[in-house]
Each structure stands twice: as structure tokens, then as C-alpha cells.
Amino acid sequence: MTAVDVGVQTSGRGQCSEDADVLEFSRWKDPIVERVGYDACGDYVELFWLPIIGPTSTWLLRRLAILAVLHPGGFTVDGPDTAQSLGLGPDAGPRSSFAKSLQRLSIFGLIRSDANHYAVRTVVPPLTMKHLARLPEHLQSAHSLWAESDPTTAYSLAFAGVPQPCRTPEGPLCDAEFSASAS
């Protein structure tokens, strides 16, 4: 096996490490999701999946998806090294933040496992209606714009949130407030 990155080694599929801290991965090929889904490292994941799965799971998904593309024959990940490189500390045990992130990715169908092997999506599915309902209202609106093929406006709404009135002395809503504080 050849070292590729921090805590990562390439492997052939079906080879399981005897080291409990080493996890084996391959790319999850799903033709339907790959036709209608979004790049796991793309903006859709940052804007809409991140509020659902959380930041740690998002970073872990992206890390694993990149490795799955770079190593189509499969790869292994050293759990403690990967956890530490994500800012989680070296613990990768069953109750660690790293293990919880893997579990979260599995719960939401972004990775799947059997025995000692994991498959990771490099293309993620669109959010379900159930997940969309969990987003803040401005992100729901941004998602609608995205689905209507208007990602530029969707970015603006997603990143800025709900626009608020300007609080400057020239603003009509602020005249009385600034006049009162000037006297």
C-alpha cells in the first residue's frame, strides 16, 4: 500500500485491515443519483446539506468523496489521523465525534457500510421534502431558486439571509433614532 495523504492509504476492494482504526472505503456508484444529484464537494452541499448534517460531517463527506475520486480502486483511512486532521482530536472510537460523523453520514444516506467496508457518494441526492422543511425559510427560498436554475440569486439569498433595512443616518427608518441620539 502506498501512502497518499494524512492517514490515507490506497487499497484494493475487499481488503480489510486488521487495525480497527483503519477504515476501508470505495466510491458508491448510483446511476440515478449521479444523473440528478450534486457534486459532494460543490456549493449545493455547502448551502443545503450542511445545515442538515452539520459542519463536521460535511467536511468528512468532502474529504472522503475527493479520495474516492482520486482512488477509484478503493482506499483506507486511518480514523485517528483523519479525525485529528478535521480538528476533532485523535479519538476515533465508537463514541467519538469522528464516529458520530460517520454515523450521521450513514443515517442520511451519504455513505453506506457492510462489515468493515464503507462506500461514499461522490454525488449527493437532492434534499427530500422532509429535509427541506428543516431548513430556515431563507434557505428554503434559495433552494427553490436553485431548483429553478437560478443559482446566482440562490447564492445571494442563501449567504445573505433575509435582507434587513439599512441602519444609516440617511435611511428613513433611522432618522428619528439618530436625531434623538444627536440631541
Side-chain angles (χ1 to χ4, degrees), residues 5-20:
D5 196 358
V6 178
V8 178
Q9 299 175 324
T10 59
S11 73
R13 186 171 174 140
Q15 297 175 348
C16 296
S17 170
E18 293 181 17
D19 183 351

Side-chain angles (χ1 to χ4, degrees), residues 38-150:
Y38 301 94
D39 182 353
C41 297
D43 295 328
Y44 185 89
V45 170
E46 181 180 340
L47 295 175
F48 307 116
W49 270 105
L50 184 142
I52 303 300
I53 63 174
T56 302
S57 294
T58 300
W59 279 110
L60 181 57
L61 172 65
R62 287 178 170 202
R63 174 82 48 95
L64 296 172
I66 289 168
L67 291 168
V69 169
L70 292 174
H71 306 286
F75 59 96
T76 58
V77 173
D78 182 275
D81 285 350
T82 304
Q84 198 163 16
S85 73
L86 292 171
L88 303 175
D91 182 17
R95 295 184 185 188
S96 67
S97 295
F98 179 75
K100 290 175 184 175
S101 292
L102 279 173
Q103 182 180 22
R104 194 157 183 79
L105 291 175
S106 180
I107 288 168
F108 287 97
L110 301 173
I111 65 171
R112 67 179 178 197
S113 66
D114 56 38
N116 293 329
H117 181 83
Y118 292 87
V120 59
R121 290 189 185 276
T122 57
V123 177
V124 301
L127 291 179
T128 64
M129 293 304 291
K130 176 183 173 182
H131 297 134
L132 281 170
R134 293 182 54 197
L135 293 176
E137 191 173 310
H138 76 281
L139 286 180
Q140 290 178 23
S141 298
H143 192 277
S144 292
L145 290 169
W146 188 286
E148 295 168 7
S149 300
D150 188 5

Side-chain angles (χ1 to χ4, degrees), residues 147-169:
E148 295 168 7
S149 300
D150 188 5
T152 303
T153 308
Y155 286 126
S156 177
L157 182 58
F159 288 140
V162 179
Q164 299 296 317
C166 179
R167 297 186 59 86
T168 64

